Amino acid sequence: MHGKDNSQKSEPKRFGVKALVLTGALTLALSGAIGGTIAWLISEETVTNTFTYGDINITLTETDTDDGDDDPSTNTYDMVPGNSITKDPKVTVEADSEDCWLFVKLDESENFEDFMTYSIADGWTALENNEGVYYRIIDGSDTVQEFSVIANDTVTVLDTVTKEMLNALDADGAENYPTLTVTAYAVQRDAEIDAIDTVEEAWALTQE
């Protein structure tokens, strides 16, 4: 009884070892076949990234009044009550400039509103809590973009201005004549840059 039982137990052990060996051989054969296929499908590509830089270029121009100094940035005008005066400051964003916030700031002398009036040109938005500051959103372009600052390129002398008011200006000296100063700014517009994420932040940078 004991001898028969030992014989039945030994045979399964031999078959078990053979099965493991065959399984191992099949696994090695499959690995070799897959490896050969991958070797034939190898491909290689190289990508070179070149980092240049963006830029913003603007100009602010105005027609010269032929007042003798050949400098349109210091134009002078004769005031006649009720008369309209051509004043045509224009901001140009040069071709290939980056996306930007474009600003204009109009500074009036203290007595300007006593003598003159004007409106801002279409397309500009007043910047809240910043008197005289206007902005527009500019997308980069491969062409020049030009924007008028003053509606109809015109300022008007109020019809309430009197000869006495004008004479008083002469008596006080030319430095007391009403003035309107236009300044233009451009700031890169990129939502990925935290410091210029909003128009208010962009404007703040121009004042630093």
Side-chain angles (χ1 to χ4, degrees), residues 2-112:
H2 293 292
K4 185 176 181 180
D5 290 339
N6 289 340
S7 173
Q8 290 176 343
K9 291 180 181 178
S10 61
E11 289 181 359
K13 288 183 180 179
R14 288 196 296 274
F15 285 120
V17 171
K18 185 180 293 186
L20 288 174
V21 171
L22 289 174
T23 301
L26 288 172
T27 301
L28 290 173
L30 288 171
S31 296
I34 294 172
T37 302
I38 291 176
W40 284 105
L41 296 179
I42 287 176
S43 177
E44 181 177 331
E45 292 184 7
T46 300
V47 175
T48 300
N49 296 304
T50 301
F51 297 91
T52 60
Y53 64 93
D55 203 358
I56 303 171
N57 290 297
I58 65 170
T59 57
L60 177 63
T61 58
E62 186 173 331
T63 302
D64 189 29
T65 58
D66 297 324
D67 53 3
D69 63 0
D70 295 322
D71 184 358
S73 67
T74 58
N75 281 343
T76 57
Y77 308 86
D78 292 330
M79 289 188 294
V80 177
N83 193 36
S84 293
I85 298 171
T86 297
K87 184 170 179 62
D88 61 351
K90 290 180 173 59
V91 185
T92 300
V93 180
E94 300 297 340
D96 300 319
S97 290
E98 298 293 314
D99 296 350
C100 68
W101 304 101
L102 185 63
F103 298 93
V104 288
K105 187 173 189 294
L106 292 89
D107 290 301
E108 304 171 358
S109 59
E110 289 186 8
N111 61 351
F112 183 86

Side-chain angles (χ1 to χ4, degrees), residues 65-181:
T65 58
D66 297 324
D67 53 3
D69 63 0
D70 295 322
D71 184 358
S73 67
T74 58
N75 281 343
T76 57
Y77 308 86
D78 292 330
M79 289 188 294
V80 177
N83 193 36
S84 293
I85 298 171
T86 297
K87 184 170 179 62
D88 61 351
K90 290 180 173 59
V91 185
T92 300
V93 180
E94 300 297 340
D96 300 319
S97 290
E98 298 293 314
D99 296 350
C100 68
W101 304 101
L102 185 63
F103 298 93
V104 288
K105 187 173 189 294
L106 292 89
D107 290 301
E108 304 171 358
S109 59
E110 289 186 8
N111 61 351
F112 183 86
E113 291 185 349
D114 296 333
F115 292 88
M116 312 288 295
T117 187
Y118 66 93
S119 298
I120 196 73
D122 290 341
W124 296 97
T125 301
L127 184 62
E128 290 186 11
N129 303 317
N130 289 272
E131 185 176 357
V133 178
Y134 302 84
Y135 72 92
R136 60 198 309 152
I137 299 171
I138 305 299
D139 292 328
S141 173
D142 58 2
T143 60
V144 171
Q145 302 179 75
E146 186 178 76
F147 306 97
S148 293
V149 176
I150 295 175
N152 302 315
D153 296 329
T154 299
V155 295
T156 302
V157 183
L158 297 173
D159 56 13
T160 54
V161 173
T162 64
K163 179 176 175 59
E164 289 73 23
M165 292 170 65
L166 295 174
N167 288 340
L169 288 177
D170 283 334
D172 291 338
E175 67 274 9
N176 293 309
Y177 292 161
T179 60
L180 177 63
T181 303

